[in-house]
Amino acid sequence: MDNNEHFAVHLERLGAAADTITVVLSNELVDLLSGQLYKSPLKAIEELVVNSYDAGAADCFLYVPDAAAQEADPRGSFIVVFDNGIGMNLKGLEELWRIGQSGKKGSDVDPRTKRKLIGKFGIGKLATHTIAHRLTYVSRTAAGIFAVTTDYRRFVSGGTTSPVSLSVRQLTDVKSLLADSTLGRLLKTSGIPLAQFETPSWTLVLLEELKDKARSIQLGRLRRVLETAMPLGSGFTLHLNGTVVESSKGEYERLVDFSVDQLPKERLEALSKATATTWRVENGRLVSGLFKEGISGQVIVTERSLVGKSDDLFRSHGFFVRVRGRLINEDDPSFGITSAYGLMHRFRADLNADDLNSVLTASREGFEAGSLSSALIQVLVEVYNEARQRYEEAMDAKQKITDRKVEQHRNYVNPRYVEYPVADVIGAPAVQQSGAEPDKSWFYLDLPPTGEAAALVKRLYQEPRTKYKYVYSQSGRNQRLARFDPHKATFTINLDHDFVRAHADEPRARLLLEDFVTTEAMLEVYLREALVPAHTVGEILERRDALLRSLSLDHPFSLTSLAASLLDSASNERDLEVNLVAAMRGLGFVAKHISGEGKPDGLAEFHDYPSGPRIITLEAKSSKDVPSLGALDFAGLQQHMKDYGAQGCIVVAPAYPGASKDDDAAAAKRAKELRVSCWTVGQLADFVSVAEARHLTARNLLNIVLEKFAPGDVATAVTNLLKSSAWSMPELYTAIVTAI
């Protein structure tokens, strides 16, 4: 094609003008939104596929030319996405170009398609700006065929927001549209079947005048990305350049694979007893007096977890119960059955139960409670238990292969205890995106870089176990017990940790220490694998860490000792940072030492029920004398809060300039203005030293940090708290028991 043959140009001669859409958007904003959110051209293509899924399409046809084709005809190359979803009428095309708004907003499920919606922010269409100058939408609904084209180059530079008018045209009919010679050549090249245009609704997205980024698309890599994004059995078929894109999960090894009519006699007897009706196998179905049409279907358990990136479109794991072809439990993979995460996320059961049609609710997404529904639950329980038993047998068989090896090559630890759980959490974005530390990193686990995660997951599932290494490093007394790097199969144990110092010298004790470190690191993995919230994991592991340190010293964790250490380190910058973090932990915070240029000295997190997690930045300003106003750098402290999403900041220093002026001092004014809570080392030491005796906790300190800022106000709040009457716990307990 030459430039005059662009299909967008032909639209000006097809049909009649129906309306005008006014878009107010600057070129800088287009660049910012598309460039920051969709830097990869592959991500831009994936966004178009997601839009087709959100439209409820059964089929999506994608054509992307290879680099050679684009090189041969750089001006005439194009990318096409066609889907047979619900389409867009005139109003839909107008809403399409309301930047920052979306018709999907406010709902997780489209009421028309019954699918979980992915895009909700109204900026997904800007992904196309990454790879093309010209964008055309042609869509059919019952209202007719409408088309609109935009050229991103019309959005002017310079930060202005001059309106751009887009002409919407209504085309006569499908026949006249397909008669266009340019579109005919386009469809022949892209391989979209002409019969698709006869469906009641569809959308064609055409990208022309492709940019250099489009030329960088490697079709092999694009296919792998799309295969990873495709779920199993979602009712959505994607075609790339004429070939169906199969879900990569279809290649996972199946450790269990059976049909429900293969349930053994013992399970049928248990099912008959639980439902008070006789169950039998008939014509490949489970049949009873309640389920006369029967229940049929297939069950698999895979070696690898089925949870992953494809869950953005649709889940691949759990129960899929269909009544006359319609899925009734789209958002409930377990169907209410309590199960271990490790198996349910490898488990898939596609079942048909047409007898339930009589008890479906009006929405047809659930069913009424009763004998039929109760019997179905019992069937699902037996199906799941059978799958679990077969999975256990398969895992035992795999372990026996290892057991037959000579001693030096045997692995006594089954991969289901280490490799599989680690692969599960690394491969499930929803699990691994935030960790238990206040800065959202993991407590013990070192995640691989994003680009290396898939290869590591594959290796953990498929390759023979690698013997783990244990190395010792002086990481600092305030740092964690260990770090676990699954990529290098290495545990790095912190020699400065109190528990390690107490057990690392004797060789036999080291073996026990290394076993303990392994189980401790895996505890974090198990908790996250079981979908325990990150903040809860942090609280549990922080308490365990405090207990370990205390046990190693053979006496309760000493807040008095922490208070003394704070006072001793007032003039030592590094020691004050470390002791400040330790004091926060002693009070019940989950705390982490960070330090470094442009960063706070530490972070402390406390889950304040019912308000949720609260994070404060920790800042230590050591000095032999009173630190200057410049050394305190209040603006920098406020920036730290913003950078880490903290709700408050505690700065600890020996004293503050202008203390005699109280609220008139510059330090006091800046502290109030920027909401930085100014404590002296002595005040914090006093608070910590009496915390155990007076039952003060992180919440008491947090209340002051978030409400009192000027040095004088903090001093008054601390003094009032420490001089208030303390309850005698024995007397209080006696009074409670007496009252009861």
Side-chain angles (χ1 to χ4, degrees):
M1 300 181 192
D2 60 29
N3 193 47
N4 293 326
E5 289 182 309
H6 285 307
F7 181 65
V9 176
H10 281 233
L11 281 177
E12 297 297 322
R13 299 193 293 271
L14 294 175
D19 200 355
T20 299
I21 300 173
T22 300
V23 183
V24 181
L25 195 63
S26 69
N27 186 58
E28 282 75 11
L29 185 56
V30 173
D31 279 336
L32 176 64
L33 291 176
S34 63
Q36 294 299 315
L37 296 178
Y38 305 102
K39 295 179 180 180
S40 165
L42 301 183
K43 191 67 178 174
I45 298 293
E46 186 180 350
E47 179 69 24
L48 294 173
V49 174
V50 165
N51 289 343
S52 294
Y53 177 87
D54 281 352
D59 294 280
C60 174
F61 297 85
L62 170 63
Y63 170 73
V64 180
D66 59 24
Q70 294 186 55
E71 192 70 36
D73 188 8
R75 298 289 294 171
S77 296
F78 55 84
I79 292 173
V80 178
V81 182
F82 177 94
D83 70 68
N84 53 15
I86 57 176
M88 290 176 285
N89 56 18
L90 184 59
K91 182 180 179 182
L93 288 174
E94 290 175 347
E95 291 179 346
L96 178 71
W97 282 103
R98 289 179 183 171
I99 309 302
Q101 301 181 36
S102 174
K104 309 171 192 176
K105 196 170 183 179
S107 175
D108 289 331
V109 178
D110 190 301
R112 300 162 297 183
T113 65
K114 305 301 180 186
R115 283 181 176 172
K116 182 178 69 173
L117 293 173
I118 311 306
K120 297 185 182 180
F121 303 102
I123 57 177
K125 81 277 294 182
L126 295 182
T128 54
H129 176 259
T130 304
I131 53 179
H133 288 297
R134 198 187 295 265
L135 169 65
T136 299
Y137 281 88
V138 185
S139 193
R140 181 187 190 184
T141 65
I145 305 173
F146 294 91
V148 63
T149 293
T150 187
D151 187 333
Y152 285 114
R153 290 166 295 196
R154 294 180 62 194
F155 297 107
V156 298
S157 300
T160 61
T161 55
S162 302
V164 172
S165 295
L166 306 180
S167 175
V168 181
R169 302 191 70 79
Q170 182 168 12
L171 309 183
T172 307
D173 53 34
V174 170
K175 184 177 180 180
S176 61
L177 175 65
L178 296 180
D180 180 81
S181 59
T182 302
L183 178 62
R185 287 195 296 272
L186 184 151
L187 295 178
K188 184 177 180 180
T189 302
S190 59
I192 302 171
L194 297 183
Q196 287 289 331
F197 287 86
E198 300 298 335
T199 55
S201 58
W202 47 260
T203 298
L204 173 73
V205 184
L206 175 62
L207 283 68
E208 298 179 286
E209 297 188 69
L210 303 182
K211 297 182 177 180
D212 289 340
K213 272 196 173 183
R215 204 168 299 149
S216 69
I217 296 175
Q218 299 175 14
L219 291 182
R221 186 179 177 193
L222 173 61
R223 177 171 289 277
R224 288 192 294 274
V225 168
L226 295 175
E227 287 171 344
T228 303
M230 288 293 293
L232 279 173
S234 63
F236 177 71
T237 303
L238 174 63
H239 308 255
L240 172 60
N241 292 3
T243 305
V244 173
V245 177
E246 302 285 359
S247 171
S248 60
K249 292 178 172 57
E251 301 175 358
Y252 291 179
E253 179 184 353
R254 297 183 179 188
L255 299 179
V256 174
D257 191 345
F258 67 95
S259 57
V260 293
D261 64 318
Q262 293 174 323
L263 285 180
K265 178 182 177 181
E266 295 78 10
R267 296 217 177 270
L268 292 180
E269 292 174 350
L271 186 56
S272 298
K273 183 178 180 180
T275 60
T277 184
T278 301
W279 287 84
R280 64 188 184 280
V281 174
E282 189 175 287
N283 298 324
R285 297 171 178 268
L286 293 182
V287 179
S288 72
L290 293 172
F291 282 82
K292 295 178 180 178
E293 293 187 51
I295 299 174
S296 63
Q298 198 72 18
V299 182
I300 65 170
V301 180
T302 57
E303 183 180 48
R304 296 180 57 171
S305 171
L306 292 169
V307 176
K309 184 170 181 266
S310 63
D311 282 25
D312 285 345
L313 287 182
F314 191 71
R315 63 182 172 89
S316 296
H317 71 287
F319 288 100
F320 295 80
V321 179
R322 291 179 171 82
V323 177
R324 297 190 178 178
R326 172 128 181 216
L327 184 64
I328 64 171
N329 66 316
E330 181 154 345
D331 297 320
D332 185 8
S334 66
F335 224 100
I337 295 175
T338 303
S339 63
Y341 173 97
L343 179 61
M344 181 57 78
H345 284 65
R346 292 171 165 77
F347 169 89
R348 180 184 178 100
D350 288 280
L351 306 178
N352 301 295
D354 290 347
D355 292 279
L356 289 175
N357 189 58
S358 62
V359 294
L360 287 182
T361 57
S363 66
R364 302 188 67 78
E365 295 173 0
F367 50 82
E368 302 166 359
S371 56
L372 273 177
S373 58
S374 298
L376 174 69
I377 295 298
Q378 292 299 323
V379 172
L380 300 187
V381 168
E382 291 301 329
V383 166
Y384 183 77
N385 287 340
E386 178 65 18
R388 180 168 57 186
Q389 179 178 326
R390 296 189 184 207
Y391 174 72
E392 297 287 348
E393 292 171 354
M395 293 303 297
D396 289 344
K398 290 173 73 74
Q399 184 63 28
K400 287 179 181 178
I401 296 175
T402 296
D403 292 345
R404 288 195 294 267
K405 294 181 179 180
V406 295
E407 193 276 335
Q408 62 267 32
H409 296 299
R410 292 178 67 177
N411 287 311
Y412 293 94
V413 180
N414 195 301
R416 65 192 297 188
Y417 301 127
V418 181
E419 284 82 7
Y420 287 6
V422 172
D424 285 351
V425 297
I426 293 176
V431 177
Q432 59 110 330
Q433 61 189 359
S434 64
E437 291 280 37
D439 64 353
K440 306 310 176 189
S441 62
W442 281 55
F443 218 82
Y444 296 121
L445 185 66
D446 284 332
L447 293 176
T450 303
E452 300 175 13
L456 176 58
V457 168
K458 183 177 181 180
R459 177 162 62 83
L460 289 171
Y461 280 129
Q462 297 180 357
E463 294 184 9
R465 155 181 281 255
T466 300
K467 288 287 187 181
Y468 289 97
K469 295 181 294 184
Y470 297 87
V471 298
Y472 291 80
S473 173
Q474 291 181 300
S475 306
R477 188 178 181 187
N478 209 35
Q479 295 303 312
R480 297 301 179 201
L481 175 71
R483 300 300 303 177
F484 172 34
D485 184 348
H487 182 70
K488 297 179 180 178
T490 300
F491 290 87
T492 301
I493 300 176
N494 180 14
L495 278 169
D496 293 326
H497 190 282
D498 291 327
F499 187 78
V500 178
R501 291 167 65 183
H503 299 91
D505 290 337
E506 207 277 315
R508 291 185 60 83
R510 273 203 175 197
L511 292 176
L512 181 60
L513 174 64
E514 290 168 1
D515 287 346
F516 176 79
V517 164
T518 303
T519 57
E520 189 72 2
M522 288 308 301
L523 174 63
E524 178 180 25
V525 174
Y526 296 157
L527 290 171
R528 295 309 308 280
E529 186 187 30
L531 301 183
V532 176
H535 67 80
T536 302
V537 175
E539 292 175 10
I540 293 171
L541 295 181
E542 190 72 88
R543 290 175 67 184
R544 287 174 62 86
D545 186 73
L547 176 61
L548 287 174
R549 294 175 188 269
S550 302
L551 291 172
S552 68
L553 300 174
D554 199 29
H555 61 75
F557 196 65
S558 175
L559 291 174
T560 303
S561 176
L562 286 175
S565 297
L566 278 169
L567 293 172
D568 291 342
S569 61
S571 61
N572 185 300
E573 178 182 3
R574 192 67 175 177
D575 286 352
L576 184 58
E577 289 179 11
V578 170
N579 289 321
L580 173 57
V581 175
M584 294 298 108
R585 288 179 177 164
L587 292 172
F589 286 95
V590 177
K592 182 176 184 178
H593 188 203
I594 298 179
S595 196
E597 186 177 353
K599 298 178 181 179
D601 295 325
L603 291 177
E605 181 177 31
F606 178 70
H607 197 79
D608 188 19
Y609 299 99
S611 303
R614 301 290 186 91
I615 296 177
I616 59 174
T617 55
L618 310 178
E619 309 284 357
K621 301 294 181 181
S622 61
S623 176
K624 293 182 180 180
D625 303 309
V626 178
S628 66
L629 193 61
L632 291 171
D633 185 19
F634 282 99
L637 303 186
Q638 186 194 43
Q639 187 61 48
H640 293 167
M641 283 193 283
K642 292 180 179 179
D643 291 344
Y644 286 85
Q647 289 76 47
C649 168
I650 178 173
V651 57
V652 179
Y656 292 90
S660 60
K661 299 179 182 179
D662 295 328
D663 287 351
D664 291 332
K669 291 180 178 179
R670 294 192 185 181
K672 286 185 174 181
E673 178 185 357
L674 302 180
R675 302 180 67 82
V676 174
S677 187
C678 298
W679 293 57
T680 65
V681 176
Q683 288 162 358
L684 182 58
D686 289 343
F687 186 102
V688 172
S689 65
V690 300
E692 187 170 8
R694 300 182 67 87
H695 306 282
L696 301 178
T697 67
R699 181 177 280 106
N700 300 106
L701 183 135
L702 194 64
N703 289 338
I704 298 177
V705 171
L706 298 180
E707 296 174 8
K708 305 298 180 182
F709 310 107
D713 294 339
V714 171
T716 300
V718 173
T719 299
N720 290 339
L721 181 65
L722 298 188
K723 75 179 183 181
S724 60
S725 298
W727 284 94
S728 166
M729 288 299 109
E731 292 179 8
L732 177 61
Y733 299 152
T734 301
I736 292 173
V737 172
T738 302
I740 293 175

